[in-house]
Amino acid sequence: MSDHVHDLRSVREATERLLTAAAKLDNAALAGGSHLPGWTRGHVLAHLARNADALVNVFEGRPMYESAAARDADIERDAGRPLEEQLADVRDSAARFMATTEPPQDWSRTVELRNGITDLASNVPFRRLVEVELHHVDLNVGYELADLPGEFTEREIVFLADRWSGRPEVPPVTLTAPADDTDGTDERTWHTGGPEGAPVTVTGPADELLGWLAGRGAKGARLSVEGGPLPALPAL
């Protein structure tokens, strides 16, 4: 079971970093493009706020979203708001999420997320952390994959490697992040993909491996591949 107390503390810290960065924008910048195709920075902030409320629903036993269409409509509705409204919504919805985690509860229980996916309640704080950290990168405000905390990067690599494991459209892949003498990090290796196709080894910095797994960043610009081309991954 995950350490939800540690993860909730990380969520709080990551949210403050994101709000501090977003507060430096103005309304014109908010309407500018994010790193996500078709989304402005306003769309990213609106999504973060609505995701926090959706996870409140998860903890309280309601459907995460009314429907996929309603989720998309809510984001589109909220994307064009002025910066101060966006910041207040992200802050207030984050507070509602944190408040829902405070009462004593069974953290080992199973909860239902989107599309029939289930998970332990103790894993939900890390899922929220993923939303905050990766969408901070998506905001296109100078916070890059390389700026993510190392612990987060490695945990998210493990999570996404597991997500793509057993998928027939993804060949067997060995992911390797070389040792780094500058910070004393040893070589790390992860495995993903299904049983079909020629095995591929993908080597590069951990942040670039995460970018490839998550469909973000340069998607392989600093990766070396042995055994074939860099595999295409399904959309998250």
Side-chain angles (χ1 to χ4, degrees):
M1 188 164 59
S2 298
D3 183 350
H4 64 276
V5 175
H6 169 81
D7 290 342
L8 288 168
R9 184 167 57 248
S10 297
V11 169
R12 186 178 293 107
E13 293 168 354
T15 301
E16 286 305 315
R17 285 196 299 272
L18 182 144
L19 284 167
T20 298
K24 298 175 183 177
L25 300 172
D26 56 25
N27 289 333
L30 192 64
S34 73
H35 285 314
L36 293 177
W39 270 19
T40 66
R41 294 185 179 96
H43 283 88
V44 175
L45 293 179
H47 165 63
L48 279 168
R50 300 289 69 76
N51 173 263
D53 284 338
L55 291 177
V56 170
N57 289 337
V58 167
F59 274 118
E60 294 183 350
R62 297 185 296 273
M64 186 170 179
Y65 294 101
E66 179 182 331
S67 66
R71 169 187 176 274
D72 294 345
D74 286 348
I75 294 170
E76 196 63 41
R77 177 198 66 206
D78 294 341
R81 296 174 300 176
L83 179 63
E84 289 306 313
E85 289 185 29
Q86 294 276 24
L87 294 177
D89 194 15
V90 172
R91 185 179 297 108
D92 292 347
S93 59
R96 289 191 293 270
F97 169 74
M98 296 300 292
T100 309
T101 69
E102 290 171 359
Q105 56 192 286
D106 178 10
W107 286 94
S108 67
R109 73 188 188 279
T110 298
V111 295
E112 184 171 349
L113 303 165
R114 292 181 66 197
N115 303 321
I117 294 174
T118 59
D119 203 349
L120 297 179
S122 60
N123 291 333
V124 173
F126 182 70
R127 287 179 176 270
R128 175 60 181 174
L129 181 61
V130 171
E131 294 288 328
V132 176
E133 288 285 25
L134 290 187
H135 286 313
H136 190 167
V137 173
D138 294 334
L139 270 179
N140 188 19
V141 292
Y143 188 72
E144 306 296 341
L145 291 166
D147 297 318
L148 293 167
E151 178 198 14
F152 169 82
T153 295
E154 294 203 20
R155 285 182 67 187
E156 181 64 352
I157 288 174
V158 171
F159 177 82
L160 291 174
D162 181 69
R163 179 166 184 161
W164 303 131
S165 292
R167 298 287 291 266
E169 67 270 46
V170 182
V173 179
T174 298
L175 303 164
T176 302
D180 188 341
D181 293 335
T182 62
D183 61 10
T185 303
D186 294 330
E187 180 179 282
R188 290 145 294 165
T189 300
W190 304 270
H191 300 278
T192 193
E196 302 176 12
V200 173
T201 299
V202 180
T203 303
D207 62 282
E208 186 75 6
L209 294 173
L210 173 57
W212 173 65
L213 288 167
R216 285 168 166 83
K219 301 179 184 178
R222 293 183 294 147
L223 298 177
S224 62
V225 187
E226 297 179 6
L230 184 66
L233 296 175
L236 283 173

